[in-house]
Amino acid sequence: MLLSRQIRGSDSNLLQAAFYVQANEEYWSPQAHPSAGHTIMMQEVLVDEALALEHGLTSEEYSWITDKLGRTPTITELGIYSVMWSEHCSYKNSIALLKTLPREGDSLLVAAGEENAGLVDIGDDMAVAFKIESHNHPSAVEPYQGAATGVGGIHRDIFTMGARPICALNSLRFGSLSNARVRYLFDGVVRGIGDYGNSFGVPTVAGDVYFDPAYEGNPLVNAMSVGVVKPGRTASAIAIGTGNKVFITGASTGRDGIHGATFASEEISEESEMKRPSVQVGDPFTEKLLLEATLEAIAAGCIVGVQDMGAAGITCSSCEMSAKGGAGMTLNLDHVPLREPDMTAYEIMLSESQERMLIVCVQGREDELVEIFNKWDLRADCIGEVTDSDRVRVWHHGQLVAEVEAEHLVLGGGAPVYRRERRQPEYLKEIRVIPDVPDLDPASAGAALLEMLAAPNIASKAWVFEQYDTMVRTGTVLGPGAGDAAIIRLKGTDKGLAVKTDCNGRYVYLNPRRGGRIAVAEAARNVVCAGGHPLAITNCLNFGNPHKPEVYWAFHEAVSGVGEACRALATPVTGGNVSFYNENPEGAVFPTPTIGMLGLVEDVEGCTTQAAFRNAGDEIYLLTPKSWAHRTTLSELGGTEYLSVRHGLLRGDAPHMDLSEELATQQAMHELIRTGKVSSAHDVSDGGLATCLAEKALAGCLGAAVDLDCPQPFRLDALLFGEAQSRIVFTAPAGLERTIRGAIRGFAAQCSRIGTVQGDRLQITVAGATVIDMPVSDMHQAFSTAIPAIMEQAHDMAT
């Protein structure tokens, strides 16, 4: 409801006179400071509990706000609280559980959540900043810009710390490709990632893509960035030093993205399509300039603190920097460069226009800061200063439109913290039992393998990564499709970084705690197979509505599983992102705790390992925990891609995961690679052992003869396509079996020689009978054409 009235500047309720956000509304403001006692005319919004509810706050939260302020908030203050107390910014439903994760380690230079990204010391006067975040909701509404700005935002988190981004990764989830809208989303997201990353000039080197009807109405788009910096030359997101000037730099401010943080904290619905203004618009060319200018200003020493403007824009950066520094800030929005006319204070404070930074400048060096940014064709405008109070005060057209206590707004400060009700879902009682499906007929094993290789979750993702520039900056040693993890060379050293994202949401749906363990374990296993030593993780926790007890139970269990695995594998959590409300009218997505794993390769030339069969005559080994034996019962098909593809079933339990066994396998593999005895390595995961062997053959264009022995009786489908964990297939030159066994004697692991790399056919014999014998070329046809054929057919139908 809009009201007009006269008030006096001395009125104690002055701050209740607030301004609404609609661009076309008439707006008056005083010509003098209100304390002068002038009579002013203004148009006002009635701020009340109903309006607070429309902003995503609860009645209780609105009561807390009024109690804290001692009055009714202005509309600008209401907007500030609504975005800062949204789940996206405050983690109010997750922070209590996140604090249970292992967040300390000898190599960690900052605590989890302390800075914009994690920071890990890798020696040689080098540190790695890395982080993963979600842009799910924007991508569901506008896939191209949603994905593009997700890439831009995560890179800004890295270079605001003073680190230069050296690579990017992404983790994507979509519904079934048989759905036309899913194909539209898939195409738009991939193009958005490719166009932004390619233009920005940072290689996109790894990721993972899954398709399942569970993600039909709510795709997951998680973006990760990795950068390098000298440990003593980092920047902090902090405001300190009374009188230090506050600058806004980069792009001008528009109305795009307003309430994007709140939008990301609600379920996708039919009304979501109307919220395109909540999706930001990116400009990678401006971001490239911003990168160079920011790094130069940090190196010059004229920056006290800097933070990018992502969710909640100026609001989040000013409040978080002030709270961290225990200081206040005064902002004058009249000096914010705008690209649209008549923007209100509410709009300016909440805008999520991209490619912007808030900077606290060293006193006396303001001209130097401006000169640096001008050199890169960017503006740097002073919009305020640091104060010795604990409050952020916002002025617009001479009117004090907001006065808030920074600490009261931020995560870990006064933002609400909830521990929601938990309840195990009823569906688990039903789906844990697998129907007695018939075993695979040996005569159909070859056809089953081809069907698996053509399944979108296993088929080649070249259609995706060929749209990315994977080699820009010339540091990529292993890119997409070449190894289990990407390897990036650290120029000027022998070292490299091994990076990977991973999570099987199907496992987490069936058993959240075990699925969480497996997500960490497989990401680490991939890093080890590529030649790296796992150091730390960042995570992006994608779940449904936390107010639903079943969703919160799954969240609690999955986070607990992630924590258990990180402790066992000594990979602490450096930070990350929680994305709740990934639901649509049909239900929630699979609980998907995506793991971004960072590893170190000490010798890039000597230790980097590809996944492919590389040399004819090499011998093939299966590395497993010492206590492991072929498990070939029906239960081994639980949650497998085979059970889904061949029988249309999502049933059973997630695969067995013993973290001590997993660690033993990884340690043994790392030792074998370190000593130079391994030609290739690839972990057994989605699709099982037969699929793993086929993928190695396809990557190397070489065949193999494999002989598998197992106890009688056995299920052929479980043997070939069961997804038992903690297994790695590797190859080594002939004649080294005794040496290999000796090298892993100190670990609780074992290896079996199962075949030889040879010819151009994959032959698999089980208990003396050949069950698969087919040309690699036939497998290549199924594997490489599946996704392009679907997308090209859809394009042809559309045109």
Side-chain angles (χ1 to χ4, degrees), residues 362-578:
V362 174
Q363 201 158 19
R365 302 185 67 177
E366 296 85 359
D367 290 343
E368 182 181 353
L369 179 75
V370 172
E371 184 179 345
I372 289 172
F373 279 87
N374 287 348
K375 185 183 84 172
W376 292 99
D377 292 329
L378 296 170
R379 293 183 59 160
D381 294 88
C382 181
I383 65 169
E385 67 179 39
V386 178
T387 66
D388 59 1
S389 73
D390 60 357
R391 299 177 182 277
V392 174
R393 293 185 173 93
V394 183
W395 294 81
H396 192 220
H397 295 337
Q399 180 77 22
L400 182 62
V401 294
E403 181 176 359
V404 293
E405 185 179 333
E407 183 68 21
H408 189 234
L409 289 158
V410 300
L411 180 155
V417 176
Y418 298 114
R419 291 170 175 82
R420 298 295 180 190
E421 178 186 354
R422 305 196 306 266
R423 183 169 61 243
Q424 181 171 319
E426 289 294 321
Y427 73 78
L428 288 177
K429 297 177 182 178
E430 176 185 352
I431 67 172
R432 284 282 172 84
V433 179
I434 304 177
D436 188 17
V437 298
D439 192 7
L440 177 64
D441 182 344
S444 301
L449 177 58
L450 290 178
E451 188 175 354
M452 293 291 289
L453 293 174
N457 284 344
I458 291 176
S460 169
K461 305 306 186 296
W463 184 89
V464 175
F465 62 72
E466 285 178 354
Q467 297 187 52
Y468 305 155
D469 189 335
T470 62
M471 299 300 294
V472 63
R473 295 182 55 83
T474 68
T476 306
V477 178
L478 285 185
D484 279 18
I487 303 291
I488 304 297
R489 184 189 309 275
L490 296 173
K491 295 179 180 180
T493 76
D494 294 329
K495 293 181 176 181
L497 299 178
V499 289
K500 183 67 170 70
T501 61
D502 218 311
C503 180
N504 188 320
R506 189 183 291 150
Y507 294 166
V508 190
Y509 176 76
L510 294 172
N511 189 325
R513 185 176 292 253
R514 193 182 297 174
R517 292 177 191 151
I518 292 173
V520 176
E522 185 173 351
R525 199 184 317 136
N526 285 326
V527 162
V528 169
C529 285
H533 170 66
L535 294 178
I537 76 160
T538 177
N539 57 45
C540 194
L541 308 175
N542 306 274
F543 288 79
N545 187 337
H547 294 270
K548 298 179 179 178
E550 294 81 4
V551 170
Y552 203 70
W553 177 84
F555 178 69
H556 176 273
E557 290 295 295
V559 169
S560 298
V562 168
E564 290 165 0
C566 287
R567 291 183 183 92
L569 303 179
T571 54
V573 181
T574 63
N577 175 235
V578 177

Side-chain angles (χ1 to χ4, degrees), residues 514-775:
R514 193 182 297 174
R517 292 177 191 151
I518 292 173
V520 176
E522 185 173 351
R525 199 184 317 136
N526 285 326
V527 162
V528 169
C529 285
H533 170 66
L535 294 178
I537 76 160
T538 177
N539 57 45
C540 194
L541 308 175
N542 306 274
F543 288 79
N545 187 337
H547 294 270
K548 298 179 179 178
E550 294 81 4
V551 170
Y552 203 70
W553 177 84
F555 178 69
H556 176 273
E557 290 295 295
V559 169
S560 298
V562 168
E564 290 165 0
C566 287
R567 291 183 183 92
L569 303 179
T571 54
V573 181
T574 63
N577 175 235
V578 177
S579 176
F580 279 137
Y581 303 98
N582 290 291
E583 300 203 16
N584 63 79
E586 301 302 316
V589 301
F590 283 154
T592 310
T594 302
I595 304 300
M597 180 68 67
L598 174 73
L600 180 65
V601 182
E602 291 288 354
D603 178 6
V604 170
E605 297 300 329
C607 294
T608 298
T609 306
Q610 297 183 22
F613 288 147
R614 299 178 66 185
N615 306 305
D618 276 359
E619 294 178 327
I620 305 170
Y621 295 86
L622 178 62
L623 179 67
T624 67
K626 187 165 285 187
S627 59
W628 190 88
H630 283 301
R631 301 184 181 99
T632 60
T633 63
L634 181 63
S635 64
E636 292 304 305
L637 294 178
T640 60
E641 188 71 17
Y642 175 85
L643 196 62
S644 175
V645 170
R646 293 284 285 184
H647 298 285
L649 294 173
L650 173 56
R651 302 293 286 268
D653 201 351
H656 169 79
M657 169 51 63
D658 183 302
L659 291 168
S660 62
E661 293 179 350
E662 177 69 34
L663 179 60
T665 299
Q666 292 188 23
Q667 289 175 331
M669 189 75 257
H670 187 265
E671 176 64 16
L672 288 171
I673 293 174
R674 187 187 67 80
T675 54
K677 298 177 174 64
V678 174
S679 302
S680 70
H682 184 29
D683 81 311
V684 181
S685 56
D686 301 344
L689 181 58
T691 301
C692 174
L693 291 165
E695 288 171 343
K696 289 181 70 66
L698 287 164
C701 298
L702 284 169
V706 175
D707 189 0
L708 302 176
D709 194 14
C710 58
Q712 299 288 340
F714 67 90
R715 285 189 66 105
L716 182 62
D717 51 11
L719 174 66
L720 295 179
F721 302 111
E723 295 176 7
Q725 300 293 294
S726 308
R727 296 186 293 167
I728 298 171
V729 173
F730 71 93
T731 59
L736 292 181
E737 183 172 0
R738 189 171 184 177
T739 304
I740 287 170
R741 294 185 187 279
I744 65 171
R745 189 172 292 121
F747 305 99
Q750 62 184 359
C751 67
S752 306
R753 185 164 61 86
I754 61 172
T756 304
V757 178
Q758 63 180 46
D760 59 0
R761 303 178 71 86
L762 176 63
Q763 300 172 312
I764 300 179
T765 301
V766 178
T770 299
V771 295
I772 292 176
D773 184 2
M774 67 174 62

